[in-house]
Amino acid sequence: MSPAEEEKSLPLPERWPRASKFALSACAAAVAELVTFPLDLTKTRLQVQGEAAVHRNGAAAGPAVPHRGMLRTAAGIVQEEGLQKLWQGATPAVYRHIVYSGVRMVAYEHLRDSVLGRAEDESFPFWKAVVGGMSAGAIGQFFASPTDLVKVQMQMEGKRKLEGKPLRFRGVHHAFMKILSEGGIRGLWAGWVPNVQRAALVNMGDLTTYDTVKHFLLLNTPLVDNSVTHSVASCCSGLVAAVLGTPADVVKTRIMNQPRDKQGRGLLYKSSMDCLIQTVQGEGFMSLYKGFIPTWMRMAPWSLVFWLTYEQIRRICGVSSF
């Protein structure tokens, strides 16, 4: 058998390992995103609630929306906008995770196995896991930033309707085209800096924690590479990711949701640092953790669903465990 024929006879994951891992991680992320999306919508609404910069700049036209907690916010969305609105913005969110999760997972494994390298005992040193996780998250989020921008702005359409403001978008394609026409290519990457910063922190919590905890359990406990180990590692990764990522997520959400001029420049915040300073000065330090409970409640099941699905899909398709 010639080398070309031998290569064609190999299973798809062995012929195109990175493309296969990209597809598998994208599928797992899409499942996790659809299951937990209502919590993401609730979190986004909470993060822009009581925004000090809006009131200082007189940007909040129409009646004020009352302050609510997590449960009342979710219940209010169902009562005032309808149950289906809990999935408003889900389409660009799935698009985002196809790009984001696909790129970050492939990038992390490439960094771990080929660039940074494992230790002689096959363990992956913690500092390398931190570098790999932050780098992979930043790369993945940069490519996915336009879809994240559309997701955040579409999630706020229901709030605009309650405030008596006109709706900005008719759908995902219209949102992309309107943002592109108003701000150009640059406008599609509005807020990419805090977006990438958040992704780096979240993946230091998610990828780094999952990989470190999983292999620690395998090397130092009687646990084997199965769903129990994957569940324990994913629960740890969800908590750490929420603690590290929530402040950057608040800043990212506010920068992405702010009104913009014709050049695509924000009218409320000059930069992510300016948003951070204004938020802390106007609302206090704990305002950086607005939406922490739904963020954690979403990240925990998201990590659980994603990692269990991803590991099982890899096993079924004949790809080695993560």
Side-chain angles (χ1 to χ4, degrees):
M1 185 181 291
S2 66
E5 291 175 335
E6 187 176 344
E7 183 179 347
K8 286 183 180 179
S9 67
L10 292 173
L12 190 63
E14 293 184 28
R15 277 190 284 163
W16 297 307
R18 290 178 186 170
S20 299
K21 290 174 182 176
F22 180 97
L24 295 178
S25 60
C27 290
V31 172
E33 190 68 17
L34 289 172
V35 170
T36 62
F37 189 80
L39 286 168
D40 185 56
L41 176 64
T42 304
K43 173 209 72 176
T44 302
R45 295 286 181 91
L46 283 171
Q47 287 174 340
V48 297
Q49 187 173 262
E51 198 168 354
V54 170
H55 300 296
R56 279 200 301 273
N57 287 273
V65 176
H67 283 256
R68 293 167 168 168
M70 183 191 72
L71 294 178
R72 289 184 62 195
T73 297
I77 293 170
V78 173
Q79 292 172 357
E80 297 159 7
E81 303 171 44
L83 179 65
Q84 73 278 9
K85 293 300 182 181
L86 286 174
W87 278 270
Q88 183 163 355
T91 301
V94 171
Y95 291 164
R96 180 240 180 189
H97 265 289
I98 289 173
V99 178
Y100 169 64
S101 290
V103 172
R104 74 181 180 119
M105 299 304 292
V106 172
Y108 182 80
E109 284 199 78
H110 177 69
L111 289 169
R112 182 186 66 185
D113 299 335
S114 303
V115 179
L116 298 172
R118 295 178 182 272
E120 292 182 1
D121 62 353
E122 288 301 309
S123 64
F124 193 45
F126 180 70
W127 72 268
K128 288 186 178 181
V130 170
V131 173
M134 294 185 73
S135 301
I139 294 168
Q141 186 55 58
F142 178 78
F143 283 105
S145 197
T147 54
D148 205 20
L149 174 65
V150 171
K151 181 200 77 169
V152 168
Q153 295 210 3
M154 287 191 69
Q155 284 178 329
M156 300 312 299
E157 289 298 272
K159 179 174 179 285
R160 288 178 63 86
K161 186 176 181 180
L162 290 177
E163 292 174 345
K165 297 177 182 178
L167 298 182
R168 296 173 292 184
F169 313 119
R170 294 191 298 270
V172 177
H173 181 261
H174 180 247
F176 269 112
M177 297 309 297
K178 186 172 182 181
I179 293 169
L180 185 62
S181 65
E182 292 178 352
I185 294 293
R186 178 182 174 184
L188 287 173
W189 267 267
W192 74 269
V193 174
N195 225 358
V196 167
Q197 290 168 343
R198 172 192 175 270
L201 290 171
V202 166
N203 280 277
M204 184 171 71
D206 185 30
L207 282 173
T208 300
T209 303
Y210 180 84
D211 197 23
T212 302
V213 171
K214 175 186 170 182
H215 288 94
F216 175 83
L217 293 174
L218 293 177
L219 292 171
N220 298 281
T221 71
L223 291 175
V224 295
D225 194 357
N226 58 18
S227 297
V228 174
T229 303
H230 303 158
S231 298
V232 173
S234 66
C235 289
C236 294
S237 69
L239 177 59
V240 176
V243 171
L244 294 176
T246 298
D249 195 35
V250 170
V251 172
K252 178 212 75 169
T253 298
R254 291 186 172 195
I255 284 184
M256 287 184 140
N257 190 58
Q258 69 176 324
R260 298 184 176 275
D261 60 20
K262 293 182 179 179
Q263 286 72 44
R265 293 189 295 261
L267 299 178
L268 300 180
Y269 310 110
K270 299 175 183 176
S271 64
S272 56
M273 184 57 67
D274 180 47
C275 179
L276 178 69
I277 293 171
Q278 285 197 50
T279 300
V280 173
Q281 288 181 344
E283 304 163 56
F285 177 79
M286 291 310 296
S287 64
L288 294 176
Y289 280 88
K290 279 186 175 181
F292 172 77
I293 296 298
T295 296
W296 176 49
M297 287 182 66
R298 177 176 183 268
M299 281 188 172
W302 195 98
S303 291
L304 184 65
V305 173
F306 172 77
W307 286 113
L308 287 177
T309 305
Y310 186 48
E311 295 275 20
Q312 290 303 311
I313 291 177
R314 287 175 70 114
R315 183 183 61 79
I316 292 169
C317 295
V319 180
S320 61
S321 175
F322 181 83

